Structure formats: structure tokens, C-alpha cells
Amino acid sequence: MSLNRNVSSIASLISDPSRAAILLHLLDGRCHPAGDLAAAAGITPQTASFHLAKMAELGIVTVEKHGRHRYYRIAQASDAEMIEQFLSFAGPAPVVSLRQSDQMKKLRHARMCYDHLAGEAAVRITESLQRAGHLQKDGLQLHVTASGERFFAEFGLDLPQLRKKRRAFSRCCLDWTEREHHLAGALGQGLTERMFAMDWFRREEQSRAVRITQEGMQGMAERFGIQLD
Amino acid sequence: MSLNRNVSSIASLISDPSRAAILLHLLDGRCHPAGDLAAAAGITPQTASFHLAKMAELGIVTVEKHGRHRYYRIAQASDAEMIEQFLSFAGPAPVVSLRQSDQMKKLRHARMCYDHLAGEAAVRITESLQRAGHLQKDGLQLHVTASGERFFAEFGLDLPQLRKKRRAFSRCCLDWTEREHHLAGALGQGLTERMFAMDWFRREEQSRAVRITQEGMQGMAERFGIQLD
DNA sequence: TCCACATTTCGATGATAATGGAAACGTCCA
DNA sequence: TGGACGTTTCCATTATCATCGAAATGTGGA
């Protein structure tokens, strides 16, 4: 009567502080060279390489060689969401420094969750889309309604194209700072991409945090009826 | 930039196969003497005691002394739900034996998730309550509507009493076999208790599985419009 | 009072696994 | 071609931790 092998291996992945630090760093959805991850976790390159090899073997991260660098990233959005969800149980990390608290505020406000937007902004957008009848929640799925089809098309998204991708089209992702759901899947990714293309958001350097621009404020108010401070 | 201490400690709790087996056994919400848990995990009483002490220190389980036995149980429903959710990521365990597959079928059908019903039956009931307009989903909350108030009262639940409990009144709990939400919180517990009182369900011995009675079949059809096989 | 039994504490053992030094490999650049 | 650099592989060290035997604690029953 033992648990699935996977449960234990996934849990032990997170249970090691060094690996947890690496994963947390990778949660921004970007590619990171091994050296950066070592620095982020406070370990030597050898040790980081050891951990990364282990994670790659489990299929949770993938490598891409570019010159003498090897860029790692989380393999699947669903894994990133799993880690995010796990974070939501433990609650936000205890605040140690002012600088950290400031960073946490930014993360809570808006951040990347692998390849889509998370945080207050994402939750509010998702709520707005449901309220407007563009999305309809059904279990862990978020169905796009007929009006939603029109809305997203007008917003500049190519839905048929997004549906073709080999991943969940539209689904919920639990937000660990807001404890609410936000839009994930191909649609979440596409919407996020589009909003970045319109310069509504800009990524902070070296962080998962995302900054909302003036255009973003205005656009969110006009298109989603959301007032963010 | 390291993760919260809790994240690692909780993860390492699950990452050990023996502890995982113990936790899985405790997921039925019942109290279990230490010896039973040792047997369930396939370890000696000493080792089980060691693990249980560690879990108790983290506050994930609590002890109750009765004579020369010490009964352990999962301290909080939210922790049980956390473990259930974690299971949902890894998916169901690989089937090894026919006996196991049979047991899994039962679990998928109806089981206890700490103190409330889970599995297909629970998901269907929750869906039905939403469809009938008695419950309304709002993020992770499930609001009881005015018609819901009447329905539950008529069903024999004392809602004001349930609201008084020092825990979430009504919330979603992700079902790891169905990958859908079911009703949890004080209301989920109360509803489950009431259905057991009406003899709609009966617990299997030594298992989290729950059997539906003839009365249950009939009642579910009449009250919830659900046809379970 | 004595023994059986459930459980814990203590102590020793053994296995596992994270870590970093040394060195090798491959790539970029001069 | 040679050297700097990012990364990995190999290897030895170390620390941690699960495990169990032995013994202690505490409870119930005869």
C-alpha cells in the first residue's frame, strides 16, 4: 500500500532546498543558464549541474544548448502550475527584509507563472472574463463561450491556432498569492503574449515580477472594466 | 531567495515512502493507533513512532491517548486536502494487482476525504447542487444561495450551527480521481454526516472506500437527480 | 503483584544523497 | 593555436536520516 513512485520523486524534488530554489527561479518561465541557477540557489556549478541532471531525468526540466551555455527551463506548464499550487499550501514565505517584502508585493500584484500571467491582475482579468460571459467555469476547465470567441478574436488572438497546440487549451491555475484561479493553458499564454505585445505589461529584469504600464492600466479599464492601482 | 521552510518540510514529509504510506492511510479521516499505521506502512513500530513524532512536531497530525493506545489523525482538513491535491498531480498509482485495481475502482466511486465525501459521488452531488442553484462557485468558495439555505435546512442540516465552527464553511476540494471539485469545509462535512445518518452510505472496513446503499441510490436520484450505477 | 501489550526512547548501523575539489569537455575569442 | 569560460563528469567526503534491536515507560488485566 505504498504511494505512486512519482509522488515521492516529485515531492523529494521540492523537499531539497537547493532544488526548490532552482525551481522557484525557473518558475518565471524563462530559460536560465546553469551558472545562474547555481548562483540563485547558492551552490557551486557542479552541484547545480547534479541537481539539474536529476530534474531533467525526471522530465521536469529540459535543456537547450546554445554555444557554451546550457539553458534550462521547466518542461511543461502543468509542472509549473503544480509547483505554484504546492506553494499555495505553504503560504507566502516569511518576510525577512524590507527588500524582500517589496519584491513580494510586486509578485502578488502581477507576475509570470511559467508562460502566463498570475497574481492579482491575472485573477481580476479572469473574473472579469467570466462576469462578462466570455468564459464559463466547468470544473477545472474554462470554456470559451460564443461571445468569448468574438471577444478574443477582436482582442487579436488566433483561437483556432491556439487550439492546435498540443496542450490544454483553456484551464484554471490556482494562484498562490490570491488563492483564486486565473486563466492558464494555451489561451492564458496567448492572452498574456498579446497583452505584452500591446505593451500593457513589462517584465522586470531578473524576476518573475511584471510591471503594468500606463497603456495597460487604460486598456484593462476599457476592455475588462478593471481598475488596478 | 530560498523557499519557505514549510514548503521543504511538507514536501519531505511526502517524499519518504513510509510517511507517505502513513499519510495515505490517515487520509480516511479516522483515528488510527500507531501500531496499525506501522503495519500499513510495512515498518516496525519504532520507526512508525519516529515518523509520527516528526509529523506531530510539524503539526500535521495530532495524538489522542486512550488507554495504552495512541490514536493519530490528520490535524486539519486543509492538510488532508493538500495531500489529496498533491496526489492529483501524480495521478492514480499504477495498478499492480487485480485486488488493487478493484480497490481503486471503489475509491474512485466514493471515498472519504478526511471528513467529507470524495470521488465520483461527491463530484456529482456538488455539480447537482450548483446546477439546481443551491450553490454558487466563486473562486475557491462555494456560496450557499437563498434556495440553498432552504434546501439544506430541509435536508436536515443546521447551517447556523455549521457556520459557527472554526473552519471554512463551504469550499471546493480538488478530487484527485475525478479531477473536478467537490464540496468540502464544514458544509461538506455536515452534508456527509447527514447522508451517513440517513444510511445512504456505509464505510468499508479498513479502507477509505465508501459503499452506497439502496436508500442512497434512491435518495440521490430523488433529491439530487443523480443516477449512480 | 505480575505479566502482557502498545508505544516510545535510546543507541548503533547502514544507506542515501548533497556537496565541492579536481579534471575533462566543448565553445568562444584573440 | 592557446587561453578563458561555462558546464559536466568523476570522485571522495560528509552529513543526514530511516531503520531496527534493546530497553524503558505506561497501561490493562489477571
Side-chain angles (χ1 to χ4, degrees):
Chain A
M1 181 64 84
S2 80
L3 270 181
N4 187 342
R5 221 176 287 116
N6 294 333
V7 177
S8 289
S9 52
I10 290 175
S12 64
L13 221 62
I14 304 175
S15 69
D16 179 74
S18 299
R19 277 193 295 263
I22 290 176
L23 284 172
L24 193 61
H25 211 71
L26 284 172
L27 266 189
D28 65 358
R30 288 193 266 216
C31 293
H32 291 272
D36 277 21
L37 295 171
I43 50 181
T44 59
Q46 306 99 293
T47 307
S49 179
F50 163 76
H51 287 305
L52 287 165
K54 186 171 280 192
M55 295 194 219
E57 198 185 352
L58 262 172
I60 200 155
V61 300
T62 51
V63 207
E64 237 173 273
K65 289 179 66 171
H66 279 287
R68 50 186 162 183
H69 296 268
R70 299 215 185 167
Y71 291 92
Y72 286 90
R73 62 182 178 81
I74 295 182
Q76 293 181 343
S78 60
D79 290 331
E81 287 162 23
M82 184 260 295
I83 298 165
E84 282 255 341
Q85 279 207 33
F86 197 74
L87 284 175
S88 75
F89 291 121
V95 175
V96 182
S97 65
L98 256 180
R99 173 156 171 58
Q100 217 172 67
S101 138
D102 189 52
Q103 181 66 14
M104 181 51 75
K105 250 187 232 155
K106 282 184 187 167
L107 286 181
R108 194 166 296 157
H109 204 223
R111 68 177 180 279
M112 295 302 285
C113 171
Y114 186 66
D115 60 4
H116 57 269
L117 204 63
E120 189 194 350
V123 169
R124 297 282 294 277
I125 289 174
T126 307
E127 281 171 358
S128 158
L129 287 168
Q130 284 183 263
R131 212 166 33 234
H134 299 326
L135 289 179
Q136 209 158 21
K137 198 179 248 175
D138 172 23
L140 294 182
Q141 301 278 319
L142 278 169
H143 284 305
V144 179
T145 62
S147 82
E149 294 277 346
R150 285 192 298 275
F151 176 84
F152 287 118
E154 194 191 329
F155 202 78
L157 295 186
D158 185 355
L159 261 61
Q161 191 62 36
L162 287 175
R163 272 189 233 275
K164 272 191 208 147
K165 298 202 177 182
R166 262 213 312 257
R167 57 179 292 195
F169 171 60
S170 169
R171 56 184 303 277
C172 288
C173 176
L174 184 62
D175 202 295
W176 66 276
T177 51
E178 299 292 310
R179 290 176 181 271
E180 295 284 345
H181 285 118
H182 60 248
L183 180 62
L187 184 58
Q189 185 268 322
L191 183 64
T192 303
E193 194 175 81
R194 180 77 188 114
M195 291 193 293
F196 269 92
M198 295 192 299
D199 199 34
W200 284 17
F201 297 98
R202 282 191 203 143
R203 302 200 56 151
E204 302 246 329
E205 291 300 319
Q206 304 285 15
S207 162
R208 309 166 55 196
V210 160
R211 201 157 33 81
I212 307 180
T213 64
Q214 278 303 325
E215 286 91 337
M217 295 282 192
Q218 202 176 331
M220 302 254 290
E222 285 173 10
R223 308 294 280 263
F224 300 116
I226 300 172
Q227 201 64 47
L228 285 168
D229 47 45
Chain B
M1 182 60 85
S2 80
L3 271 180
N4 187 341
R5 222 176 286 117
N6 294 333
V7 176
S8 289
S9 51
I10 290 175
S12 65
L13 221 63
I14 304 175
S15 69
D16 179 75
S18 299
R19 276 193 297 262
I22 290 176
L23 285 172
L24 194 61
H25 210 72
L26 285 173
L27 266 189
D28 65 358
R30 287 193 267 216
C31 291
H32 291 271
D36 277 21
L37 295 170
I43 50 182
T44 59
Q46 306 97 292
T47 308
S49 179
F50 163 76
H51 287 306
L52 287 166
K54 187 171 278 192
M55 295 193 219
E57 199 185 352
L58 263 172
I60 200 154
V61 300
T62 51
V63 207
E64 236 173 275
K65 290 179 66 171
H66 279 286
R68 48 186 162 184
H69 297 268
R70 299 213 185 168
Y71 291 91
Y72 287 89
R73 62 181 177 82
I74 295 182
Q76 294 181 341
S78 60
D79 289 331
E81 288 163 21
M82 186 259 297
I83 297 165
E84 281 257 342
Q85 279 207 33
F86 197 75
L87 284 175
S88 75
F89 290 121
V95 175
V96 182
S97 65
L98 256 181
R99 173 158 171 56
Q100 217 170 68
S101 138
D102 189 51
Q103 181 65 14
M104 178 52 75
K105 249 186 230 153
K106 281 184 188 166
L107 285 181
R108 194 166 297 156
H109 205 225
R111 68 177 180 280
M112 295 302 285
C113 171
Y114 187 67
D115 61 3
H116 57 268
L117 204 64
E120 189 195 350
V123 168
R124 297 282 293 277
I125 288 175
T126 307
E127 280 171 359
S128 158
L129 286 169
Q130 285 182 264
R131 211 165 34 235
H134 298 327
L135 289 178
Q136 208 160 21
K137 199 180 246 175
D138 172 21
L140 294 183
Q141 300 279 318
L142 278 169
H143 285 303
V144 179
T145 63
S147 83
E149 294 277 347
R150 283 192 300 276
F151 176 84
F152 287 117
E154 193 191 331
F155 202 77
L157 294 186
D158 184 355
L159 262 61
Q161 191 61 34
L162 288 174
R163 273 189 232 277
K164 271 190 209 148
K165 298 203 177 182
R166 262 213 312 258
R167 57 179 292 193
F169 171 61
S170 169
R171 55 184 304 277
C172 287
C173 177
L174 184 62
D175 201 294
W176 67 275
T177 51
E178 298 293 309
R179 290 178 179 271
E180 295 282 346
H181 284 118
H182 61 248
L183 180 61
L187 184 59
Q189 186 267 322
L191 183 64
T192 302
E193 194 176 81
R194 181 79 187 112
M195 291 192 295
F196 268 92
M198 295 192 299
D199 199 34
W200 284 18
F201 297 98
R202 282 191 203 143
R203 302 200 57 151
E204 302 245 329
E205 290 300 318
Q206 304 284 16
S207 163
R208 308 167 56 197
V210 160
R211 202 158 33 81
I212 307 180
T213 64
Q214 278 303 326
E215 287 90 337
M217 295 282 194
Q218 200 175 332
M220 302 253 291
E222 284 172 11
R223 309 294 278 263
F224 300 115
I226 300 171
Q227 201 62 49
L228 284 168
D229 49 42

